[in-house]
Amino acid sequence: QQGDPVEAPAFLAASYACQRNTPQPGHNTLLTAALSVLAESAELNGDEGRGLAFRRSEGLLRSLDRRVQGPAELRGLPCLGDHSRRVIQDLLENGVSSEVEETKSSPRYKAMKLLTGIFGVGVKTAKRWFTEGICSLAQLETSGHSLNAAQQAGLKYYTDLNQPVSREEADAVSVMVEGVVHSVLPGARVTLAGGFRRGKMSGHDVDFLITHPDEGKEEGLIHKIIACLESRGLLLYQQTTRNTYRESAKGAGRPSSSMDRFERCFSIFKLTNDSSPEDTRRAQQDPERVRVEADQTGSGGRPWRAVRVDLVVSPISQFAFALLGWTGSKLFERETRRWAVRERSMSLSSHALYDRNQERYLRASSEEEIFAHLGLEYVSPTGRNA
Ligand code: CTP
Ligand code: MN
Ligand code: MN
Ligand code: MN
């Protein structure tokens, strides 16, 4: 029953996710999927601390370069709390964890997942509705609650937005975004960020970071992009926020705030069914022809689908920080910031890195330089899937 304890390679002793290489999808998907359910359940209960503990366990297991066969192999591994270890042991011995199964089938978890699955609905709102007995979209629609614009769009496109975005769809969106950005500001650069930059094959949205090599040229760019997207009929919904970031003598903003302050747009794109990257490229040269083709190939009477897209504009001087911050994963980001504060007395945001001992900002023009400032070995985007 008890195998020999396996000597853990040095990197496995690393207790911060940013010290490890974490490829996608990992060798322990049964275990990580189970821990992810428990993390999500805690997060949906508003229990951030508990959620984070499960996320750290999940992240550690994702980074292992082989499949865990028995509990003995967990000896000496960091990040695994008692609760996580119990769940893992259950899964290894019985192939199933009763706690995970009970969580998944609980009415609360199911309702909260459904309600927070609506774009524009966070945990607090979902909780309020659930307390009032709302457990389905139909109940929400007849409840008489007035929904804000984001939530109305979220409800309207619920099915589409809960269908994963494929790599091919992301590439098609990239072509659309690049076309529009280059037409409103030649020389601007568009970089795919988020899960797709980490090499994921699907995602819940597509994330882009936009900049221009001449500092200042990017100011007000988001509004021009939105206007152009709208004139081409490519947007179903958008909410734009202006840039509110200023460097201050006190350090990298409020270090406690994980929200960044770039010009950005949370949007929903209208993506035609037959929009392979090639077709999309053609569409930009000859919009009329492709529109006709799309109508013919449309299934279910609708030749397009809704896709969530995040657009973020960064000045070139902050680009490396913005890229690191918008590539994720969320746990990788949290852990990098935690490492910075606890191990280096630095505060890291998507805008800057502030050294509290030297009382100055540390500049960087690449992600590699940021890792070097932090005293961390460089982890490539595809290794940040913690
Ligand atoms: N992010 C952020 N501020 C927000 C939303 C997101 O800084 N208000 C960052 C996250 O920290 C993450 C990146 O943007 O690093 C991408 O977030 P998201 O699109 O939610 O997740 P992905 O990792 O791309 O995964 P998914 O496939 O689900 O989209
Ligand atoms: Mn994303
Ligand atoms: Mn997501
Ligand atoms: Mn996103």
Side-chain angles (χ1 to χ4, degrees):
Q1 173 86 358
Q2 295 272 309
D4 287 336
V6 179
E7 193 63 39
F11 82 92
L12 291 183
S15 66
Y16 291 86
C18 52
Q19 295 174 288
R20 302 186 296 254
N21 191 60
T22 309
Q24 170 78 24
H27 301 270
N28 293 281
T29 48
L30 177 80
L31 303 178
T32 54
L35 290 169
S36 177
V37 168
L38 297 182
E40 192 177 25
S41 171
E43 288 157 3
L44 292 174
N45 273 320
D47 194 339
E48 283 290 315
R50 197 177 156 87
L52 190 51
F54 284 126
R55 290 285 174 216
R56 288 208 187 109
S57 298
E58 181 196 348
L60 186 279
L61 289 172
R62 275 184 193 283
S63 74
L64 299 181
D65 58 5
R66 64 194 149 73
R67 191 165 72 83
V68 174
Q69 316 260 8
E73 292 173 40
L74 302 175
R75 260 182 238 155
L77 296 184
C79 306
L80 304 174
D82 291 342
H83 196 152
S84 294
R85 284 176 189 272
R86 266 203 317 277
V87 174
I88 296 166
Q89 181 147 359
D90 255 6
L91 285 161
L92 292 174
E93 286 170 358
N94 313 315
V96 55
S97 149
S98 53
E99 184 180 0
V100 173
E101 294 312 307
E102 278 161 27
T103 301
K104 280 200 282 194
S105 59
S106 87
R108 184 195 174 87
Y109 175 79
K110 286 200 279 192
M112 287 296 290
K113 217 171 139 57
L114 181 102
L115 294 173
T116 55
I118 305 169
F119 171 65
V121 178
V123 171
K124 270 167 78 179
T125 304
K127 213 175 206 173
R128 205 173 64 232
W129 290 344
F130 177 69
T131 308
E132 294 168 17
I134 296 170
C135 298
S136 69
L137 299 183
Q139 284 171 331
L140 176 61
E141 279 174 313
T142 56
S143 68
H145 279 291
S146 60
L147 305 179
N148 66 31
Q151 295 162 347
Q152 285 174 33
L155 206 49
K156 189 168 174 186
Y157 304 115
Y158 185 84
T159 309
D160 275 11
L161 299 185
N162 280 280
Q163 179 193 326
V165 182
S166 69
R167 178 85 221 186
E168 197 178 48
E169 287 168 329
D171 289 340
V173 174
S174 293
V175 174
M176 285 160 74
V177 171
E178 277 165 16
V180 165
V181 169
H182 293 149
S183 83
V184 298
L185 182 62
R189 292 180 195 158
V190 177
T191 306
L192 186 64
F196 286 109
R197 181 165 185 252
R198 302 197 307 274
K200 278 176 63 179
M201 294 312 289
S202 70
H204 97 284
D205 69 357
V206 196
D207 306 282
F208 295 96
L209 193 58
I210 300 158
T211 191
H212 191 283
D214 301 332
E215 184 96 358
K217 281 258 175 71
E218 81 295 339
E219 271 176 45
L221 179 56
I222 199 81
H223 298 286
K224 292 176 200 156
I225 296 171
I226 298 309
C228 184
L229 285 166
E230 263 169 354
S231 75
R232 293 187 188 183
L234 300 175
L235 279 189
L236 297 167
Y237 169 86
Q238 62 90 10
Q239 185 192 1
T240 307
T241 320
R242 66 189 172 81
N243 184 352
T244 57
Y245 178 78
R246 295 284 172 276
E247 274 188 8
S248 75
K250 293 192 209 81
R254 290 163 300 154
S256 60
S257 162
S258 61
M259 207 57 187
D260 66 65
R261 284 163 285 167
F262 289 115
E263 269 191 18
R264 67 148 137 244
C265 179
F266 298 122
S267 72
I268 302 175
F269 271 45
K270 182 174 181 176
L271 183 66
T272 51
N273 270 354
D274 194 17
S275 46
S276 66
E278 264 323 302
D279 290 322
T280 310
R281 225 167 261 125
R282 256 186 324 129
Q284 287 182 333
Q285 285 147 17
D286 186 1
E288 206 42 52
R289 194 174 105 226
V290 174
R291 202 168 299 136
V292 172
E293 283 174 13
D295 284 341
Q296 287 162 351
T297 55
S299 60
R302 214 182 56 173
W304 52 270
R305 70 161 289 194
V307 177
R308 272 273 299 112
V309 175
D310 286 337
L311 303 172
V312 182
V313 174
S314 156
I316 189 79
S317 61
Q318 298 170 21
F319 182 77
F321 299 100
L323 186 59
L324 181 60
W326 280 85
T327 296
S329 69
K330 275 179 192 111
L331 180 67
F332 193 91
E333 301 300 330
R334 294 186 74 147
E335 291 280 279
T336 311
R337 287 164 200 212
R338 192 169 69 97
W339 165 277
V341 173
R342 301 230 315 216
E343 308 296 331
R344 290 293 183 272
S345 252
M346 294 179 183
S347 74
L348 173 69
S349 74
S350 291
H351 299 275
L353 177 62
Y354 185 77
D355 186 323
R356 295 174 184 182
N357 292 328
Q358 298 186 59
E359 298 187 341
R360 67 179 184 99
Y361 288 95
L362 305 177
R363 307 288 158 186
S365 55
S366 68
E367 291 179 315
E368 283 86 345
E369 285 175 61
I370 303 173
F371 281 87
H373 281 317
L374 291 169
L376 286 169
E377 228 169 279
Y378 180 65
V379 180
S380 72
T382 52
R384 299 181 204 160
N385 290 290

